[in-house]
Amino acid sequence: MIARLDPSDTIAAIATPVGPALRGIVRLSGPAAWTIPLARFQFARGELPTAKRAARFEGSLSIPGLRVPAPAAIALWPDPRTYTGQQMAEVHTTGSQPILDRILADCLDRGARLAEPGEFTLRAFLAGRIDLTRAEAVLAVIEAADPTQLQTALQQLAGGLATQIEQMRDRWLDCLAHIEAGLDFVEEADVDPIARRELAREVARASADLAELAERLESRERPQTLPRVVLVGPPNAGKSRLFNALVGRDRAIVSPAAGTTRDYLSAVCDCAGLLVELCDTAGIEAPGDAIAGSAQRMRAGQAQAAELLLDCGSADTGFADEIDRRQQRIRVGTKSDCADPGQQAEIATSAATGEGIAALRVAIRAALSAEASESCCVAATGARCRESLSQAARALQSASETLMLGGGDELVAIDLRLALDELGKVVGTVVTDDILDRIFRRFCIGK
Ligand SMILES: Nc1nc2c(ncn2[C@@H]2O[C@H](COP(=O)(O)OP(=O)(O)OP(=O)(O)O)[C@@H](O)[C@H]2O)c(=O)[nH]1
Ligand SMILES: [Mg+2]
């Protein structure tokens, strides 16, 4: 067990990344969070901290082993309205690693304990300041690799998923309390069959919502791979040259002969900050021989697996007709330096002059981000909670059926309790040590 569940001691850590930087921060949380750093601090002015208000003070810090005190600031937060729910302090000084190491060592000498990875956030959770989905969001914000991931993490941090789950739990807790108190559906002759059916429907709807949520998590988990963007269009439309321009290297063979590309090619491509797997395919045509037949099958396969199609056409080739309209696509006009690719084109590009290439990258990112922003939570939360959400959905489904069929209230109560337990795991009302361990082990120290 890495995460420590007893928050009664004072923890300290360097809260800024390792390496030279302008500023460095040592963070403390716990009963002695103020006294430990204050003992070494000289205030620049006569002001003194009060236990009531958060404040920041300029001054200098004596550091054992250094003859001259280092200029520093100290920020103090009184409990309980802090991130961890405890007294917190931060020493802000130059980002020099040896200085930060000495300040930290001195804090540890005088009663603080080195924080485990994620322990500040763990304390926030234990103090009831954040729920588990938010703890994971903190981590995801730190780890976000692109703007879409950051957006999802920030939404979750703001409580998106947690609020939804909490509302559901509230509703079913109420319902369970009623049933358990024997208030609603006692075995009297005048049990209201309409109320019972309405409740059954409500439970069924909640079950469907949860099942959908679980499914969305599942589909999010699969693409650890990059989103696939596939170039399609008639032969000679300039797909391969556009591919090279987007990838930034001459990977694909370009030639004036129609039908040049046979095998598909793929490469990682940076679209205004979003990495995608870009794929070049054979031009769309009626196959004349076996090789062309294989090329067409491959192209169709690639196009089908695409999250986004770049449907290419130039003034001389026009656009292909046989493109699946249900798929998301951008109509890209090519060879705009030769002739205007026409009204149909959403973006005019020229691989020869570079016109429109940057705009195309932005359009690709926008098209894919619109899809990705539907994700309701960060990947770690998804992986942890999917099973709980499915179980909760199944339990509610079963409760709804029992209600419909006039089964006993004690059976309904059993299912509701099961669903509540599973929902509780998602937000962390029901926690087990291994869940905490798995979540907080992934943090870096100082967070
Ligand atoms: N002037 C100009 N010529 C282009 C441009 N893009 C492509 N071409 C020319 O158009 C011809 C066909 O280009 P490719 O990129 O091979 O076309 P493709 O769509 O991959 O063709 P297939 O692989 O046969 O389906 C080549 O001679 C290219 O040099 C462009 O932006 N400007
Ligand atoms: Mg080609």
Side-chain angles (χ1 to χ4, degrees), residues 145-181:
D146 62 50
T148 315
Q149 286 180 7
L150 183 61
Q151 175 72 12
T152 307
L154 287 174
Q155 263 165 14
Q156 181 167 325
L157 192 55
L161 180 67
T163 315
Q164 204 179 338
I165 301 282
E166 293 288 6
Q167 278 169 355
M168 256 194 211
R169 287 192 78 239
D170 274 359
R171 173 71 186 101
W172 302 128
L173 268 173
D174 260 8
C175 186
L176 184 62
H178 272 285
I179 289 181
E180 291 196 328

Side-chain angles (χ1 to χ4, degrees), residues 272-284:
L274 178 71
L275 294 184
V276 306
E277 186 171 3
L278 186 67
C279 178
D280 181 26
T281 62
I284 301 174

Side-chain angles (χ1 to χ4, degrees), residues 170-427:
D170 274 359
R171 173 71 186 101
W172 302 128
L173 268 173
D174 260 8
C175 186
L176 184 62
H178 272 285
I179 289 181
E180 291 196 328
L183 291 179
D184 267 355
F185 307 113
V186 279
E187 290 141 9
E188 288 165 10
D190 62 342
V191 174
D192 182 355
I194 295 178
R196 218 180 146 93
R197 228 177 299 132
E198 256 167 27
L199 182 63
R201 263 190 232 116
E202 189 187 346
V203 175
R205 264 199 305 277
S207 162
D209 286 352
L210 286 174
E212 195 206 307
L213 198 60
E215 205 172 288
R216 257 159 62 196
L217 295 187
E218 187 150 21
S219 62
R220 241 188 81 74
E221 231 184 292
R222 247 180 282 127
Q224 281 307 344
T225 54
L226 300 175
R228 231 159 209 274
V229 178
V230 177
L231 289 152
V232 292
N236 242 349
K239 301 179 295 298
S240 297
R241 197 160 165 187
L242 184 58
F243 176 87
N244 290 341
L246 284 167
V247 172
R249 277 172 297 152
D250 281 343
R251 283 284 313 277
I253 301 174
V254 173
S255 103
T260 302
T261 305
R262 295 305 181 111
D263 286 341
Y264 69 87
L265 263 179
S266 74
V268 174
C269 171
D270 184 340
C271 291
L274 178 71
L275 294 184
V276 306
E277 186 171 3
L278 186 67
C279 178
D280 181 26
T281 62
I284 301 174
E285 61 184 338
D289 56 30
I291 297 178
S294 307
Q296 290 303 310
R297 271 194 298 283
M298 269 192 187
R299 174 195 51 76
Q302 287 303 310
Q304 218 167 27
E307 260 110 300
L308 176 67
L309 294 176
L310 299 184
D311 177 7
C312 301
S314 61
D316 55 321
T317 66
F319 287 90
D321 321 310
E322 57 160 292
I323 290 186
D324 190 342
R325 303 281 163 215
R326 283 163 305 182
Q327 261 183 308
Q328 203 187 8
R329 60 167 185 163
I330 300 174
R331 280 217 144 155
V332 183
T334 51
K335 310 189 202 176
S336 67
D337 57 302
C338 296
D340 184 351
Q343 293 270 311
Q344 278 181 293
E346 294 167 51
I347 296 180
T349 66
S350 163
T353 66
E355 186 205 338
I357 302 291
L360 180 57
R361 287 186 208 277
V362 172
I364 292 171
R365 195 190 71 184
L368 291 172
S369 306
E371 265 200 344
S373 68
E374 279 174 25
S375 61
C376 50
C377 67
V378 303
T381 309
R384 178 174 65 81
C385 300
R386 201 188 56 235
E387 193 46 36
S388 287
L389 292 172
S390 308
Q391 296 260 18
R394 275 197 290 279
L396 288 180
Q397 181 60 33
S398 152
S400 156
E401 280 161 15
T402 309
L403 281 164
M404 270 306 189
L405 299 173
D409 290 345
E410 61 293 345
L411 294 180
V412 178
I414 289 173
D415 280 332
L416 283 184
R417 219 173 292 126
L418 205 87
L420 282 167
D421 264 6
E422 292 300 328
L423 292 179
K425 283 184 197 164
V426 174
V427 285

